[in-house]
Amino acid sequence: RVTRPSRFVISTSGTVTRDATSPLAGPNTPVLSELVDGLRAEGIAVTVLTPRLFLENLLLPTVLSGVKDEGVLRYPLRADLAVAWSSHLDVADAAVAALTLDVAPDAVDIGQIPAITGIELAEAFAEHFSRAVTFEAVTPDAFGASIAPIIGGGAAAGVSQLYTGLESADSVAFDSATGSAVALGIVARSTRAWLVDLGVN
């Protein structure tokens, strides 16, 4: 309110704020909504970036080691669940565009179009590492327990709760018309391109 920026860009960091029925509508939703509404009430232009699940989650040692050592990508999602995965790199690209365009939209969804399944995710890892990689769904509780030593028990419990909510989801995606490619000219990276850009080996 004091500095009066010409534009404010907010990433929901995986929380969906425009759909209360979404399993990604979490405890952060009221806070994010208050922030956005408060800024707009002051006449400040706001662009809200809404990614879904981050590809960087797949770099957790418990996940990546399974790919490298066993050729198995273990993750707490159904193998057939289509997800609009995105990278923090994609969010950064979209933020730059939203901050520098003459006019930026109020809301932008960030993620791969079309959304991809766990099977397709494993295929991208297989191509990158030049070895067979299969996808294996694990339970949210098992996944939470595996990452608790890394991120702490409280945070791991929150992660387990998130993926428990996604067990009955039809998809974790969005309409291409609201995506960054249409709204900002920013195309979310493919999984293979993301692995290359980060130099994962």
Side-chain angles (χ1 to χ4, degrees):
R1 286 170 177 160
V2 173
T3 57
R4 305 296 302 175
S6 59
R7 175 161 293 277
F8 210 95
V9 175
I10 298 170
S11 171
T12 65
S13 195
T15 297
V16 172
T17 59
R18 302 190 304 274
D19 180 6
T21 65
S22 170
L24 295 177
N28 293 334
T29 300
V31 177
L32 289 165
S33 297
E34 181 181 357
L35 174 60
V36 172
D37 293 343
L39 290 167
R40 287 177 176 162
E42 294 293 320
I44 297 171
V46 180
T47 295
V48 179
L49 307 179
T50 304
R52 268 58 178 181
L53 298 183
F54 285 114
L55 288 165
E56 282 77 11
N57 296 344
L58 305 174
L59 298 180
L60 283 162
T62 52
V63 178
L64 192 57
S65 63
V67 173
K68 291 182 175 182
D69 300 338
E70 305 170 62
V72 181
L73 175 59
R74 296 184 178 90
Y75 207 75
L77 295 172
R78 298 193 321 272
D80 64 344
L81 181 64
V83 175
W85 291 90
S86 65
S87 167
H88 291 291
L89 300 174
D90 301 321
V91 176
D93 290 343
V96 169
L99 287 167
T100 55
L101 290 172
D102 291 337
V103 178
D106 293 337
V108 182
D109 289 311
I110 311 291
Q112 295 177 2
I113 298 174
I116 63 171
T117 65
I119 295 170
E120 292 168 316
L121 200 63
E123 289 172 351
F125 274 82
E127 181 182 353
H128 181 73
F129 285 108
S130 298
R131 63 163 301 169
V133 178
T134 58
F135 183 85
E136 180 181 308
V138 297
T139 67
D141 286 345
F143 185 75
S146 73
I147 64 175
I150 302 171
I151 67 174
V159 171
S160 297
Q161 183 178 13
L162 165 66
Y163 288 104
T164 296
L166 291 175
E167 286 183 321
S168 59
D170 294 327
S171 71
V172 185
F174 52 84
D175 191 299
S176 61
T178 64
S180 61
V182 172
L184 298 171
I186 300 296
V187 177
R189 289 164 176 78
S190 67
T191 308
R192 179 78 174 88
W194 166 73
L195 288 164
V196 171
D197 285 351
L198 286 190
V200 177
N201 53 42

